[in-house]
Amino acid sequence: MEKFLLKNIDNPNSKDVNEYIKTEGYKAISKALELKPSDIIDEVRRSGLRGRGGAGFPTGMKWSFAAADPKKPKFILCNADEGEPGTFKDRPILEKNPHLLIEGMIISGYALQAEYGYIYLRGEYPRAKDILKDAIKQAHDKGYLGDNILGKGIRFHLHVHQGAGAYICGEETALIESLEGKRGQPRIKPPFPVNEGFLSKPTVVNNVETLANIPYIMEIGAEAYSKIGSPDCPGPKLYSVSGHVKNPGVYELPMGTTLRDIIYAHCGGIRDNKKLKAVIPGGISTPILSPDKIDCPMDFVNMPKHGSMLGSGAVMVFDETVDLAKVCLRAMKFFEHESCGKCTPCREGVGWMRAILERICNGSGNEKDIELLTEVSKNIIGKTFCPLGDGAASVVQSFIKDFRQEFEQHISKEAGKEIKAAA
Amino acid sequence: MITVTINGKKITLEKPVTILKAAEIAGIKIPTLCHHDMLEPYGGCRLCLVEIEKMPRLQTACTQYVTDGMVVWTETEKVVEARKGVLEFLLINHPLDCPYCDKAGECDLQDLVVKYGPATGRFAEGKRTHPESYDDPIIVRNMERCILCARCVRMCDKVQGASAISITNRSSKSFVEPFSGGRYNCEYCGNCLTVCPVGAIMSRLHKHAYRPWLIEKEVDTVCSFCGVGCSLTLQVRGNSIVRAVPKIIGSLGKGLNKGLLCNRGRFGYDYVGSTNRLDSPLIRKDGKLERATWSEAFSYIANRLKKIKETYGSNSIAGIASGRCTNEDNYVFQKFMRVVLGTNNIDSVAGFAYAPAQKFFESIFGQGVTANPMHGIANSDGIFVIGGDPTSVNPVLGLQVRAAHQKGVPVITSGYMQGLKMFSSKSLIPNPFTETTLLASLLTGLMKERPFCGLNSAFEKIIRDIQPVEIKEAEEICGITSKDISYAIDTLSVMTNPSIIIGRDILQRAEGHTNLLLLAALIYLLNGRIYLLSELPNEQGLVDMGCLPDTLPGGRPVTVDIFRKRYEEFFGVEIPSRSGLSLMEMIDAAHANKIKAMYVMGEDVVSNVPNTKHIKDALSKLDILVVQDIFMTETANLADVVLPSLAWAEKKGSYTNLERRMQMLGKAVDGKGMDDWQAIAEVSRMLGFDMDYKDSGDIISEIAKVSPLHKDISYEDMADGECMWPYKGEPLRHGMSIEGIEISKFEIRKSKIGNRVYIGIDNPLFHAESLSRNSAALHSIAPETYVRISKVLARELSIANGDYVTIATNSGSIELSAQIDSDLPENIVLIPNNFDGKGVFTVMNWKMNTVIKSPAMDFTEAVIKKVAHVSKEATIMN
Amino acid sequence: MLSEKAVVEINQIKGRYHDAQSSLLPTLYVVQREHGWLSPDAVEAVGDLLNVPKAAVKGVSTFYSMFRHKPMGRHLIQLCTNVACMIMGAERLVDILKSRYGLKPNSTTEDGRFSLVIMECIGACGTAPAMLVDTDFHDNLTEQGIVDILENYK
Ligand SMILES: Cc1cc2nc3c(=O)[nH]c(=O)nc-3n(C[C@H](O)[C@H](O)[C@H](O)COP(=O)(O)O)c2cc1C
Ligand code: SF4
Ligand code: FES
């Protein structure tokens, strides 16, 4: 299918505003500004677009909540924290197609009657920061941003705000806290950001990819858009594929493309023709899948039916050589490091799981450890303040469920040694 | 109407509350750790998880609001399992040192583990280690015990507004610490100690000094330090106070302070047990004060007073009362002076500012105009503060201002106020002593914005006659930009029920009376509520009990016959109809040998009145000086007879706070001295006038009979802490009269103050008048006196922080270490008055403000020199 | 404490937000760029400049792993070892840095040339293993490649 989100990224100057305009860029704005804000929201609702940040929340609905709140000013925040390990799908938009995002934000701003937008960009993308700043300046000079957009008296100001290395700040309320210059710990919900977000004002937080879809919807219309990919969560989707495939990278495919197609048809299969051992389909906080599950369509609706989640669409492919216990341990180290520390189960429990896994991996674990690990994960799941802790625990559970032997190996290996020593 | 079912129990509620609250109402306890009723919901510890029907996940009761028809279960197997899990997680890093930990016995975590069963200790790896910190004189920090509920941090940020501590780092590596990482350098309110559920932050003063279960009794009382009158509980063991804690029931703070305290209230009580306490009467025999028996002392005093009265007449005797003594003490004192000795020469330091200000406002707005509940401040739609920093003079009242600001209420402050720096929408810092001009310009501006309401046409006429001051002029004189002044005017002009908070500094001025008029005008225009800052716990009571030269108990002017008669009939004695001398007039009269005897109850006049040398000379001229006190004060040092009295925690009685709320003291320990009222009663008996009170209760019932304001009052009325003005009494409704205001006397001085340097009083948060001199705890926080010097001046004289400087004035000279301050105007230096022999009054001079008969303390010029050698001991040379 | 230039930049940053504290993270970046790390004095200065309590500034700055609270070497190597990079051999790269430069995670070389910080995913999983040196991205790293690259940083 023709690319939209990754349109002309092969063009080395794609980030330049004129290049963007050459390929129909900023057309959608003029189109949108003809419509009433409420019509745009309605269009987005009918398009069936669902948030690409991971939760898959219907974007049109989120917008209508914020639009309905009388408080002013309103804010639109772009979530460019892209912290989910395995995910690098937003990066090409940010670095190669920044004007697509900016255009999407301007339209969103107008639709929401929000005069201020911030792009919360992860600190780990220093290059994207400079690119976005330049792009914003260009857009300004062209009259797409500012106090009188395209002479229509519409106001929208956009700034880049750089995070500083905290995965939790991808969570929308933590993101808002962080933007307010506080420790990035999640807030109690309700109230939801759409009513009390940034500086307690109505705030919409959307993922980069979500916002990048807006111009497309404006361009081809809700009808056409809703026919792309899975019926109940349509649209183009960016899948970032990493690990042992021949051609890793970011792929723009219709939502609902199966894992198998992604891995074999698009990424050329497993490299060195090794065997596929496992796949993490949606970023490290989504449950790991065994090869027998890869025929499931990668979308918000079908993945849960197969025991995992679409998450950020970050497909991590492991061939037969990979030691999954070590992968699990590394994942836990990540969650322990990134826990914001607010709630007990995540702060204390995740570290505990890491410790047990460490034990197992360095060969000093025993049979009971796998049960203990399961116990601890049970005490975390469903009891944490935000999904981070839950994610960590469900990951461990999924590893144990489908790949128990990977852990047992380390344990019995050790046992075996002991016997030799005894002899 | 919302109906919820908790554990099968149906309850209906007007408005939605959290499940936790609902359960509490239903009498069901849900365990919590990070929740505290004084703080916003947090939802961090996850202990309050409950099961809600039709909800797959467990929910936290502290954050989840009830909805109609909700069915909640708080102790199902699933819930109990979850809590066990959470507790096990908490114990991963929590040391099991309960036998050693002071918190054991009042530790929430310990109690919960007992309830839900000890963790099976399946965690094999080592615990987080973090050495206990003893870097602070007051607070011990043990981060191994911390469970990161963030209660202390939230208290410090959101309630106290000190923001001195924060969580450092992230994840399981996080811990709480002050900025320095060691010493707290904070406001030492200790409110963090109140909310810490475990032994992570504790008072060092009590380290291993006691165990909760060894407390023998707990006595509820009110604080003895300032006019707010916070409720607190004294924990007693043996005959000594082991700890003072706010009165908290459940996790709800009681009393007007709602569970908050300041550093003085929480830590300063130790003066009661000080080894410097007087324990025996002393009589001066050939120049030296020597121990004597009570009866010796009483008869000595009686005989001398008798003679003086006979030879020089009643008005050669004067008495000074104290805002640290109870209503009962002060009532008996003024009765003694008026009825037994026959003079109205009664006053106290309350006469410097508090009393005249109140009198002035009452004469315009009616009696009781300052009797406003403190919590009105946070609920008003605007705040104007002038003449003193509430956060240091009356700290817990100051928190109201901070709370208001955090709610977005506009706060305008006039004058240098460290404690409100981060809590004011506009901070106006005029050049020294130019507030009059500033106030006048604000008034001029407001008159253009706000019409008169017509309620008091007489006063409106007076206001019209006040000469206007244009903003430009004020900018010139006060050194504040027109922009800022206009901003203040605009902000003030839209307020409909602002709180006007007034400190003494604005009154102790040559133009104190003009400032009063301007403030009254402002208050009238804005329909403001008045709050008078009060440094003494019973300053108001002292006034209400008639310890003023011109006022009888219940605020009745002594000069008005019908009022006076009532008392004369009651006592069967004539009371002089002319007003007596004010404190400063007494001093001058003593100098002029017109006052021969002075009876001082609980006031260190020498330390607390400007120009130490002058007052010492005056007192030395007396034929007899009698001093009742709990310490050997500088005044007692000059006395002929010294009577040891009981300290606040050793006596029964009542205080009246700055809201005019009457509250009861609780007797916690026995003291060696005698109740002030009792000593006086003894003397008066020897003078042939029987005062046979068995206890303070008898006195209150007499007050209830004779003082119309206190009609029928009794301790029962005060028991619930809600005994508010006008009680059951008859206040004097003579307001709306403007007698005593001769507009001609009020003129607005607009001269610039030039480039001389003057002296001002600093009100440090950590001390209270001279009382805190005997609190080891407060001295460990702030051991040394100092002089605050502006950055500019410091640069001019090349003075660095901590350098020693001499400050010389026409009344003395003193050597102090400099504290450089960027917000202070350049031509004033501030010196506190809370350190022995080094107080500001040793160098400050005064002039009599003849309109309000109080000392004007402005315009004491000072010469400031850097001391070459750095001496540790500050010295005075008079 | 802060240079004129920094103060000017910080005041510009303030202009982008509705309240001062929102400009805290960008401000800390400016200060870190200038001093290489956030000393207690710097943290205090930022607090004064933004009228945010200094303890709060400390709490915030220590929450984020990209703010440094001790001096760093001339060049900061931020090497990702998260899963995607790990399975593509990132751990061996860590060993190389150790053997070649004596550089351990969270430490600085004797000569103050490099500091090494282990990163969680830096969004280069498709071209793993990857690292940031100062603000430059380097990916598809190999055992020889990483040394060649680092040799360009003196
Ligand atoms: C721990 C955690 C991390 C998250 N990280 C990101 C992220 O890096 N980028 C993102 O867009 N959304 C992230 N999210 C989802 C956001 O909370 C939010 O749902 C999303 O930004 C909404 O945008 P959308 O509706 O366009 O998906 C994260 C959520 C959680 C719980
Ligand atoms: S689960 Fe708890 S500790 Fe973990 S990130 Fe979320 S709020 Fe923070
Ligand atoms: S009390 Fe509810 S989570 Fe701590």
Side-chain angles (χ1 to χ4, degrees), chain A residues 51-55 57 62 79 81-84 167-168 170-172 205-207 210 387-388:
Chain A
R52 304 296 196 232
F57 192 88
K62 187 187 282 189
N79 190 337
D81 198 49
E82 187 145 79
E84 180 68 23
Y167 167 61
I168 187 59
E171 192 284 329
E172 55 187 356
V205 182
N206 274 130
N207 169 258
T210 313
L388 187 147

Side-chain angles (χ1 to χ4, degrees), chain B residues 240-257:
Chain B
S240 66
I241 305 168
V242 289
R243 188 170 64 161
V245 293
K247 198 172 166 197
I248 299 209
I249 295 170
S251 60
L252 253 194
K254 297 290 170 203
L256 61 95
N257 49 314

Side-chain angles (χ1 to χ4, degrees), chain B residues 32-35 43-48 60 62:
Chain B
T32 59
L33 274 176
C34 70
H35 176 82
C45 76
R46 318 306 287 173
L47 216 79
C48 66
T60 43
C62 67

Side-chain angles (χ1 to χ4, degrees), chain B residues 238-468:
Chain B
N239 189 38
S240 66
I241 305 168
V242 289
R243 188 170 64 161
V245 293
K247 198 172 166 197
I248 299 209
I249 295 170
S251 60
L252 253 194
K254 297 290 170 203
L256 61 95
N257 49 314
K258 299 221 157 67
L260 300 171
L261 288 179
C262 78
N263 66 93
R264 305 173 208 161
R266 186 182 299 266
F267 302 118
Y269 61 83
D270 60 346
Y271 73 86
V272 173
S274 161
T275 49
N276 303 341
R277 284 287 303 278
L278 291 168
D279 57 0
S280 147
L282 306 168
I283 299 179
R284 192 171 295 278
K285 300 210 176 90
D286 38 48
K288 281 191 24 279
L289 281 168
E290 289 175 4
R291 292 173 154 271
T293 66
W294 285 99
S295 51
E296 280 176 284
F298 291 139
S299 48
Y300 182 93
I301 298 168
N303 296 335
R304 297 289 296 278
L305 289 178
K306 196 148 177 281
K307 262 198 206 61
I308 290 167
K309 186 178 172 186
E310 284 162 1
T311 32
Y312 304 102
S314 293
N315 285 336
S316 65
I317 307 174
I320 294 176
S322 165
R324 296 209 173 281
C325 297
T326 61
N327 286 321
E328 293 77 359
D329 296 328
N330 283 301
Y331 169 80
V332 171
F333 185 74
Q334 62 84 34
K335 178 176 171 185
F336 173 69
M337 295 305 294
R338 291 199 164 98
V339 176
V340 183
L341 298 176
T343 177
N344 281 322
N345 294 341
I346 314 155
D347 199 5
S348 74
V349 291
F352 288 5
Y354 189 85
Q358 186 166 65
K359 181 176 174 214
F360 185 90
F361 291 132
E362 291 192 335
S363 70
I364 293 169
F365 302 112
Q367 214 182 39
V369 66
T370 65
N372 298 305
M374 200 174 76
H375 286 274
I377 296 174
N379 302 330
S380 52
D381 70 348
I383 298 174
F384 180 65
V385 191
I386 187 167
D389 181 349
T391 64
S392 59
V393 179
N394 294 119
V396 170
L397 180 146
L399 296 187
Q400 287 281 312
V401 182
R402 289 177 174 177
H405 178 77
Q406 287 187 337
K407 276 199 290 178
V409 176
V411 177
I412 306 286
T413 61
S414 165
Y416 164 90
M417 290 181 203
Q418 276 306 10
L420 291 179
K421 196 177 166 191
M422 293 218 176
F423 301 88
S424 61
S425 355
K426 183 59 70 189
S427 151
L428 310 169
I429 304 184
N431 291 328
F433 321 132
T434 61
E435 290 92 348
T436 313
T437 308
L438 176 63
L439 281 170
S441 70
L442 293 178
L443 183 65
T444 311
L446 283 169
M447 304 239 324
K448 293 176 186 147
E449 311 273 335
R450 292 278 286 248
F452 281 129
C453 62
L455 258 172
N456 184 344
S457 47
F459 187 49
E460 287 179 5
K461 172 164 185 335
I462 291 179
I463 297 176
R464 277 198 206 82
D465 293 347
I466 297 171
Q467 72 203 91

Side-chain angles (χ1 to χ4, degrees), chain A residues 73 75 82-88 91 95 116 118 120 122-127 133 159-166 168-169 174 177-185 198-199 241-244 248-249 271 280 284 316-318 322-323 326-327 330-331 333-334 337-341, chain C residues 9 12-29 33 52 56-68 78-89 91 117-128 130 132 134-140:
Chain A
F75 295 96
E82 187 145 79
E84 180 68 23
T87 316
F88 49 103
R91 202 173 141 203
E95 292 182 352
Y116 305 93
Y118 295 91
Y120 188 95
R122 66 186 314 216
E124 294 85 344
Y125 286 172
R127 192 195 297 162
K133 285 195 156 164
H159 297 289
V160 182
H161 185 99
Q162 202 176 8
I168 187 59
C169 291
E177 285 282 298
S178 179
L179 189 60
E180 289 182 3
K182 306 189 181 133
R183 294 168 57 85
Q185 291 183 320
F198 184 44
L199 305 174
V241 190
S242 61
H244 297 130
R271 66 172 68 174
I280 293 179
I284 205 145
M316 304 169 94
V317 180
F318 304 103
V322 176
D323 176 346
K326 279 188 69 186
V327 171
R330 184 59 185 87
K333 283 185 174 162
F334 165 78
H337 184 258
E338 297 302 330
S339 166
C340 84
Chain C
E9 187 175 352
Q12 283 168 353
I13 290 171
K14 273 196 197 167
R16 296 187 214 140
Y17 300 91
H18 296 239
D19 76 324
Q21 185 158 1
S22 297
S23 53
L24 182 50
L25 262 59
T27 300
L28 289 170
Y29 267 115
R33 202 180 58 222
V52 176
V57 178
K58 181 180 187 179
V60 171
S61 63
T62 56
F63 180 89
Y64 298 92
S65 55
M66 292 178 79
F67 290 128
R68 316 282 162 218
Q78 303 185 86
L79 179 68
C80 177
T81 65
N82 205 305
V83 173
C85 286
M86 177 184 90
I87 63 172
M88 302 310 275
E91 279 165 332
V117 176
I118 297 302
M119 297 294 278
E120 297 304 346
C121 184
I122 59 173
C125 322
T127 49
L132 276 161
D134 303 332
T135 57
D136 317 330
F137 249 107
H138 300 283
D139 48 15
N140 289 316

Side-chain angles (χ1 to χ4, degrees), chain A residues 120-138:
Chain A
Y120 188 95
L121 176 70
R122 66 186 314 216
E124 294 85 344
Y125 286 172
R127 192 195 297 162
K129 172 166 145 264
D130 301 336
I131 293 170
L132 284 166
K133 285 195 156 164
D134 296 344
I136 288 173
K137 185 169 181 323
Q138 288 183 324

Side-chain angles (χ1 to χ4, degrees), chain B residues 568-745:
Chain B
E568 290 175 337
E569 275 154 26
F570 188 88
F571 298 126
V573 176
E574 244 186 56
I575 297 171
S577 60
R578 280 182 44 253
S579 300
L581 300 176
S582 74
L583 200 158
M584 283 317 192
E585 290 171 328
M586 294 177 196
I587 305 292
D588 288 346
H591 259 284
N593 296 316
K594 291 207 180 62
I595 292 288
K596 298 286 182 187
M598 205 179 268
Y599 202 119
V600 178
M601 177 180 74
E603 181 55 75
D604 182 1
V605 194
V606 173
S607 304
N608 296 325
V609 171
N611 198 343
T612 312
K613 186 174 181 313
H614 181 77
I615 171 127
K616 276 186 174 167
D617 296 348
L619 297 185
S620 323
K621 287 188 172 170
L622 295 167
D623 287 6
I624 179 173
L625 172 62
V626 181
V627 171
Q628 296 184 181
D629 209 306
I630 62 175
F631 290 110
M632 195 64 205
T633 62
E634 297 191 49
T635 312
N637 265 318
L638 301 174
D640 301 281
V641 189
V642 178
L643 303 177
S645 43
L646 292 174
W648 141 86
E650 298 163 343
K651 62 205 280 180
K652 283 202 151 30
S654 63
Y655 280 167
T656 306
N657 78 347
L658 54 78
E659 306 167 284
R660 306 191 79 163
R661 184 194 302 253
M662 293 183 80
Q663 306 192 101
M664 249 192 304
L665 299 190
K667 180 176 187 297
V669 291
D670 299 315
K672 295 206 178 69
M674 186 181 288
D675 261 307
D676 285 294
W677 61 261
Q678 194 176 359
I680 291 161
E682 295 296 332
V683 175
S684 97
R685 193 159 47 71
M686 293 204 168
L687 285 166
F689 188 98
D690 273 357
M691 295 191 188
D692 39 26
Y693 308 115
K694 281 187 312 307
D695 55 25
S696 61
D698 290 354
I699 304 171
I700 256 301
S701 17
E702 179 172 316
I703 295 170
K705 286 197 202 72
V706 62
S707 163
L709 177 60
H710 303 93
K711 190 159 170 290
D712 299 336
I713 195 127
S714 73
Y715 285 149
E716 287 68 56
D717 301 319
M718 304 179 202
D720 66 351
E722 294 302 326
C723 188
M724 308 299 278
W725 195 91
Y727 324 113
K728 299 183 252 170
E730 304 150 1
L732 199 53
R733 290 271 177 223
H734 71 53
M736 296 304 172
S737 87
I738 43 164
E739 43 131 311
I741 303 178
E742 287 174 50
I743 186 74
S744 58
K745 288 189 181 160

